[in-house]
Amino acid sequence: MGEFFVWSTFAGFFFTFMPIFLWLDAYVDIPKNRAWFSLSAYRYLKLFGGYGQLDREGIAVHLTKKKAVFIPFDKMADTRKKFEITKGFQLWRFCQTVETGGADAVYGIFIAAFLQSLGGGTFAYLRTKHPFLTLKNDTLLAENACLKFSIETATVFNGFVLGTAIIKKALEALINWIRKKRSTASLKKQLNS
């Protein structure tokens, strides 16, 4: 019994205060209208992945061969508000690679130079705000016409921050439920009067 208590205390302390790294790898191919993604913990422990496609009315996200989620464009603003990230989640690494066509043409070189300078300016701004952030920006030129993006990000947080975020969302849901109940009760009173 004493060993279990010691090990569970150690595991709880470890999960609460040690950093957790969450990696997102994504690859977007614009002409094929597909975006593949993978979410993993500590880079090697895959949590889930799949691919997404744009449609006229929204985005279809395929998580498995038989399971897909459709997100309409008009609901995306609400979805973004639901998944607001607190300050405890810190972006630790961001690497992007853009592959574009026109390696033999002048316009391709101008596009690559523009993308490289845009990424460099953005990264310089981010570096002043977050000096610990690892940033990498590459542009590749291909002979055939293409437009592809590859993104690798890592976010760091700990169990305390994750628990705080879950409690915050639960309290917000509870407050919204209480407000809805009160407004429904007051509406019923007004209708009965």
Side-chain angles (χ1 to χ4, degrees):
M1 183 71 173
E3 287 182 20
F4 175 75
F5 178 74
V6 170
W7 283 110
S8 60
T9 304
F10 175 74
F13 178 80
F14 184 80
F15 179 73
T16 303
F17 296 109
M18 295 307 286
I20 300 170
F21 292 90
L22 194 64
W23 290 78
L24 173 68
D25 295 306
Y27 176 75
V28 180
D29 193 343
I30 300 292
K32 289 185 179 179
N33 189 24
R34 289 242 174 136
W36 294 267
F37 65 93
S38 173
L39 188 67
S40 58
Y42 299 105
R43 184 149 192 157
Y44 300 107
L45 182 63
K46 184 178 177 184
L47 301 174
F48 66 90
Y51 70 92
Q53 287 180 300
L54 281 176
D55 193 84
R56 289 181 189 173
E57 291 132 20
I59 299 173
V61 179
H62 300 267
L63 300 173
T64 64
K65 289 182 179 180
K66 295 182 180 179
K67 185 177 180 181
V69 178
F70 186 75
I71 305 169
F73 289 129
D74 55 348
K75 303 281 183 185
M76 280 193 181
D78 296 335
T79 305
R80 185 174 157 256
K81 289 176 188 174
K82 287 180 186 175
F83 293 106
E84 178 185 345
I85 296 177
T86 62
K87 292 184 179 182
F89 294 87
Q90 295 293 322
L91 187 63
W92 178 67
R93 178 182 174 89
F94 186 85
C95 300
Q96 73 176 10
T97 303
V98 180
E99 183 178 349
T100 182
D104 297 334
V106 174
Y107 75 88
I109 295 169
F110 278 124
I111 290 172
F114 173 74
L115 290 172
Q116 198 66 14
S117 63
L118 183 68
T122 304
F123 285 0
Y125 174 75
L126 287 173
R127 191 68 148 185
T128 59
K129 291 234 174 228
H130 309 284
F132 56 86
L133 189 60
T134 302
L135 300 165
K136 187 177 178 186
N137 180 32
D138 291 324
T139 305
L140 304 173
L141 283 171
E143 291 181 8
N144 55 344
C146 65
L147 185 56
K148 301 174 185 177
F149 300 95
S150 176
I151 299 168
E152 176 187 276
T153 65
T155 305
V156 65
F157 57 95
N158 61 20
F160 180 74
V161 171
L162 184 63
T164 304
I166 291 170
I167 290 170
K168 177 184 170 190
K169 289 298 174 188
L171 288 175
E172 287 175 359
L174 179 66
I175 290 169
N176 288 336
W177 179 78
I178 291 171
R179 285 181 184 161
K180 186 176 179 183
K181 284 295 243 185
R182 283 185 181 171
S183 67
T184 306
S186 65
L187 181 64
K188 286 181 181 177
K189 284 183 182 178
Q190 289 175 358
L191 292 175
N192 290 338
S193 299

